[in-house]
Amino acid sequence: MLDLLLRDVRALTLNPAHPRAHTIGVLGGRIIGVDDEVAELPARHVVDGDGAIVTPGFSDAHNHMVWYGLSLAETDLSTVTTPEQLYDVVAAEAAKLPADGWVIGSGYDDFALGGHPDRAALDRAGGGRPVWLKHRSAHMATVSTRILELTGVLDGSAVVPAGGAVERGADGEPTGLLAEQAQQLVDRLVKPYPVGDLADAITRASAVYAAEGLTHVTEAGIGGGWIGHSPAEAAAYQIARARGDLNQRVELMPAREVLHEVDEAYGLDLGLRTGFGDEFLRIGPMKIFTDGALSSRTAAVTAPFCGHGGADDHGLLGDDPDVLRKAILAAHHGGWRVAAHAIGDRAIDLTLDIFEQAQRELPRPGVRHRIEHAAMTRPEHLARMAALDVVPVPQARFLYEIGDTIADAVGQERMPWVYRSRSFVDAGLPVVGSSDRPCVSAGAPLLGMQSLVERKTKSGAVASPDECVDAEQALRAFTTGAAYAAGQENVRGHIERGTYADLVLLDDDPTAVPDSKIGEIGVQATLVAGRAVHGADRFSFPE
């Protein structure tokens, strides 16, 4: 007997052998068949879909779930458009706090503000309190004088980590802007976060994700470095799962900083490595930063940034190239997949060189190392990625949210390289859907699909229209493409016998509505392993 029979639906299965279905049968958390395979089978629960569109559950191949959940409890600066408005928000928050309380805000956009917050103005607005404002890119933050004192930046005792920068004005004084690894100076004052707080953050994020149709996410960096929040960060996911608050399957990327030598190998204690876990929570690739970001002009590029970036500004590598090479090679030899954050074309050059060396030294067919973001992919990179079976994981939504800022930084000649999609298809590479949330203010997968199709910036410009893909390819990016990036294309990302019963019921067909309406489609219900994690009223059954 089936656990669930879902009938009268219009399912986009993404299975070429059976592209459409009207009936889906579920048993033991997996799809047991579709249409005539199951239509006459008895079921404990029968649900009439009333003609709803059904797709495989959406997957976000690169997000920061803990960080996003924490940001939901911080002061939201994503809609602030003037410096005066920002300082008013800081002052209002400061008024609620004791004299030593921290004002923490997230999501400010220097492009919208016309520049980064002024340190002296933050001191006045915060009443001398510690003020920590996180840029929307997460690759930089602006802090008040009190934090510069606490970190040792003001008295010169601070040691800036490799790959970081403390901005200074013409007078040599720090402006309060900390870029890349320099943010660890602040992190050291507040980390590690209590595991219980991280579990609560996961709970908040997971509820939002379920309402958006997400059934699987990859957490891009935990446990260490500036991206991690606690050495015990994985335990927070276990806690959230144990209490029934984790509504997605999750793959965890341990940060490079937490891997170490283990009995002549390289990995985590007990010899844990990529693949450990179960179908709901497992360890994924090692996450390593090779550079910064385009909007902060800290990505490692071969030609200098345009405009105020300066004639000699080629960004920052995440560490000494030899250090990065040693870590990636050790991870490859230790049985890990590697997810290398590489945004600028110079960083991508270095990453592909190391991946190529790794495969020469120890061939591992099918390992599928990844390049996270792959934001400035030169034409010659495409063939190299395909030959090495390297998976690029870009974020098309960045084109809408910061595409104009990126164009200002790299210039129109290099914009065709930025966040490619169509070129990946033509080169035989997958198109993988992800958000990098909370580095985007709106990371819903349907919005990501719309950006893959339209490639519009906030100004209305279309960034390299030749890189647009059609709506079906956009849907595949957040289903089959994301599953491929995780090496799970046999069990999720499409609807057929044996795949996970992870499904989304939608108000309309994302492959049929006007491109500009894809992001507006409503999510009626989200199922993980056949259980409703959103829209449960559609699947409520009498005991």
Side-chain angles (χ1 to χ4, degrees), residues 46-230:
V46 178
V47 173
D48 193 323
D50 296 324
I53 294 292
V54 173
T55 72
F58 301 148
S59 177
D60 190 328
H62 181 116
N63 94 117
H64 303 279
M65 193 174 191
V66 168
W67 178 14
Y68 175 63
L70 289 171
S71 75
L72 293 175
E74 296 170 350
T75 301
D76 181 14
L77 302 175
S78 63
T79 60
V80 173
T81 57
T82 68
E84 293 74 23
Q85 185 182 3
L86 182 142
Y87 302 135
D88 287 345
V89 171
V90 170
E93 290 301 312
K96 304 173 187 177
L97 300 171
D100 60 349
W102 284 52
V103 178
I104 303 176
S106 59
Y108 84 84
D109 185 346
D110 63 309
F111 192 76
L113 295 174
H116 294 282
D118 177 75
R119 173 182 145 195
L122 286 185
D123 292 343
R124 291 192 294 271
R129 293 173 179 82
V131 180
W132 180 19
L133 305 185
K134 306 172 186 178
H135 189 262
R136 47 139 302 280
S137 71
H139 287 267
M140 48 190 168
T142 301
V143 299
S144 65
T145 296
R146 182 57 183 145
I147 291 183
L148 292 178
E149 292 172 345
L150 293 171
T151 57
V153 169
L154 272 191
D155 65 14
S157 63
V159 178
V160 180
V166 175
E167 183 184 76
R168 296 182 181 274
D171 59 0
E173 289 296 306
T175 64
L177 182 65
L178 307 176
E180 302 300 340
Q181 301 294 334
Q183 295 177 95
Q184 289 195 52
L185 298 172
V186 186
D187 290 344
R188 292 166 188 167
L189 301 175
V190 297
K191 294 180 180 179
Y193 287 80
V195 171
D197 290 354
L198 300 183
D200 291 343
I202 291 166
T203 297
R204 289 191 292 269
S206 186
V208 174
Y209 289 2
E212 296 172 347
L214 281 165
T215 60
H216 179 279
V217 297
T218 297
E219 169 64 90
I222 64 167
W226 69 267
I227 201 70
H229 297 88
S230 164

Side-chain angles (χ1 to χ4, degrees), residues 225-530:
W226 69 267
I227 201 70
H229 297 88
S230 164
E233 202 159 357
Y237 280 91
Q238 292 180 295
I239 292 169
R241 179 183 175 187
R243 65 191 191 191
D245 292 337
L246 185 58
N247 299 314
Q248 290 77 32
R249 304 178 195 272
V250 180
E251 183 174 59
L252 303 172
M253 290 185 186
R256 179 255 294 205
E257 288 82 358
V258 302
L259 272 67
H260 52 268
E261 297 293 332
V262 182
D263 192 24
E264 299 183 358
Y266 185 69
L268 301 177
D269 291 338
L270 302 179
L272 303 184
R273 63 184 186 182
T274 300
F276 181 82
D278 59 24
E279 63 186 43
F280 289 97
L281 187 61
R282 69 173 192 153
I283 295 174
M286 175 192 81
K287 170 69 176 296
I288 185 168
F289 284 88
T290 70
D291 71 342
L294 290 175
S295 59
S296 60
R297 298 172 182 246
T298 53
V301 293
T302 53
F305 288 105
C306 301
H308 68 267
D312 296 322
D313 186 358
H314 292 77
L316 294 169
L317 286 174
D319 210 327
D320 182 275
D322 290 337
V323 172
L324 297 173
R325 185 180 301 272
K326 180 179 179 181
I328 292 174
L329 291 177
H332 175 87
H333 282 267
W336 286 81
R337 280 190 294 132
V338 175
H341 166 116
I343 285 184
D345 61 327
R346 180 161 61 103
I348 294 173
D349 283 337
L350 175 64
T351 301
L352 290 174
D353 287 346
I354 300 172
F355 284 161
E356 189 171 21
Q357 179 182 346
Q359 290 287 27
R360 282 198 310 268
E361 293 180 357
L362 178 65
R364 289 177 60 195
V367 63
R368 293 184 197 166
H369 293 317
R370 300 165 42 141
I371 294 183
E372 307 303 301
H373 311 299
M376 283 186 68
T377 308
R378 296 198 311 271
E380 60 267 32
H381 290 152
L382 301 172
R384 293 191 70 191
M385 288 180 185
L388 291 167
D389 196 16
V390 168
V391 180
V393 184
Q395 294 76 37
R397 191 62 186 171
F398 279 152
L399 291 169
Y400 176 78
E401 299 214 357
I402 57 170
D404 296 315
T405 308
I406 292 173
D408 183 57
V410 305
Q412 289 303 317
E413 287 187 2
R414 287 183 284 185
M415 276 303 288
W417 304 351
V418 173
Y419 293 111
R420 293 178 183 267
S421 296
R422 184 73 246 171
S423 291
F424 291 154
V425 175
D426 294 341
L429 293 163
V431 177
V432 177
S434 70
S435 70
D436 201 17
R437 187 160 33 188
C439 296
V440 293
S441 60
L446 284 163
L447 287 172
M449 293 177 208
Q450 183 172 324
S451 286
L452 278 167
V453 174
E454 292 188 317
R455 294 183 63 86
K456 283 188 177 180
T457 71
K458 280 187 177 179
S459 70
V462 178
S464 307
D466 289 347
E467 289 294 334
C468 293
V469 295
D470 64 26
E472 181 176 336
Q473 183 65 66
L475 174 61
R476 288 183 178 277
F478 283 88
T479 51
T480 58
Y484 182 87
Q488 292 189 305
E489 68 273 19
N490 292 329
V491 291
R492 63 180 177 87
H494 50 106
I495 299 172
E496 64 178 288
R497 181 184 300 173
T499 59
Y500 296 151
D502 299 350
L503 305 168
V504 184
L505 276 69
L506 301 173
D507 286 340
D508 216 330
D509 183 346
T511 68
V513 300
D515 296 344
S516 62
K517 300 296 183 182
I518 295 174
E520 299 176 10
I521 295 174
V523 176
Q524 297 180 12
T526 305
L527 277 65
V528 175

